[in-house]
Amino acid sequence: MQQYPGIELELSSSDRLVDLIREGFDCVVRVGTLKDSGLIARPLGKLTVINCASQQYLARFGYPESLADLASHAVVHYSLNLGTRPPGFEIATSSGTQWIKTGGMLTVNSTETYHAACLAGLGIIQVPRVGVREALRNGTLIEVLPQYRASPMPVSLLYPHRRNLSRRVHLFMEWLTGVMKDYVD
């Protein structure tokens, strides 16, 4: 906005998957593996995913030291669609993704609630490091099981088509690509 003072933006922030065409979005940032949607995707990088818990949680339940320990620990689950629960704790292996069964009774569908539940001592979360950098720095959250991380999460900029891409959208996309370099691997 400083570089282009005449530009006007509308910014929507939601965990919900919006329909670009139907809802009139020029572009969106999606984190995670993309489904084939017919949209054009510009890869922006990947986010390192870490496992962390609050000091309060670790003081009550101890530090998990192995995957077997997770059976007696609570994991806060994240799902876009409540009513479906992820299969457990995700780890990346040389042969793909492996899911470890865990304890935990809470499933949430918003990033803010996910972080808040962890900070409140309700369980371990698996989250992009960039989202909890400050909490790690100040010791509010502690990384656990660093040897067992989920796969990095791809970050993509999606837009409907290359034809008739307005200059303002093109400039925004270029700006966002530059900004994201400080956040992705």
Side-chain angles (χ1 to χ4, degrees):
M1 292 169 81
Q2 291 172 350
Q3 191 172 358
Y4 301 99
I7 198 164
E8 292 182 21
L9 298 175
E10 287 184 26
L11 179 65
S12 173
S13 178
S14 171
D15 288 354
R16 177 179 69 83
L17 293 178
V18 299
D19 183 325
L20 269 78
I21 307 294
R22 192 169 43 95
E23 296 181 51
F25 285 89
D26 293 315
C27 57
V28 297
V29 175
R30 292 254 166 93
V31 178
T33 305
L34 298 175
K35 295 179 181 167
D36 184 19
S37 64
L39 299 171
I40 298 171
R42 177 190 290 188
L44 297 176
K46 293 186 178 193
L47 299 174
T48 298
V49 177
I50 65 166
N51 315 307
C52 56
S54 69
Q55 286 186 9
Q56 174 188 359
Y57 176 86
L58 295 171
R60 278 183 40 215
F61 300 104
Y63 286 75
E65 295 183 21
S66 70
L67 293 176
D69 290 347
L70 289 174
S72 62
H73 278 272
V75 171
V76 177
H77 300 280
Y78 177 91
S79 178
L80 275 176
N81 303 310
L82 291 179
T84 61
R85 183 173 169 172
F89 186 86
E90 178 185 352
I91 60 169
T93 66
S94 58
S95 59
T97 299
Q98 181 181 352
W99 296 95
I100 308 299
K101 192 134 179 83
T102 64
M105 300 178 297
L106 179 62
T107 301
V108 300
N109 67 348
S110 92
T111 305
E112 292 83 9
T113 306
Y114 193 55
H115 290 161
C118 184
L119 289 168
L122 299 178
I124 299 167
I125 62 172
Q126 295 188 284
V127 63
R129 177 186 299 155
V130 69
V132 293
R133 279 193 301 205
E134 187 55 35
L136 291 168
R137 243 184 255 130
N138 68 29
T140 308
L141 294 180
I142 310 288
E143 183 175 6
V144 297
L145 298 170
Q147 70 277 32
Y148 299 111
R149 290 186 176 163
S151 298
M153 297 174 78
V155 180
S156 305
L157 180 62
L158 299 178
Y159 53 102
H161 50 74
R162 293 184 202 279
R163 293 184 318 268
N164 304 323
L165 191 61
S166 73
R167 178 159 167 70
R168 67 181 172 85
V169 173
H170 179 73
L171 289 171
F172 176 79
M173 290 168 47
E174 291 304 315
W175 170 81
L176 183 63
T177 299
V179 167
M180 288 301 295
K181 288 179 182 174
D182 291 336
Y183 299 96
V184 295
D185 299 333

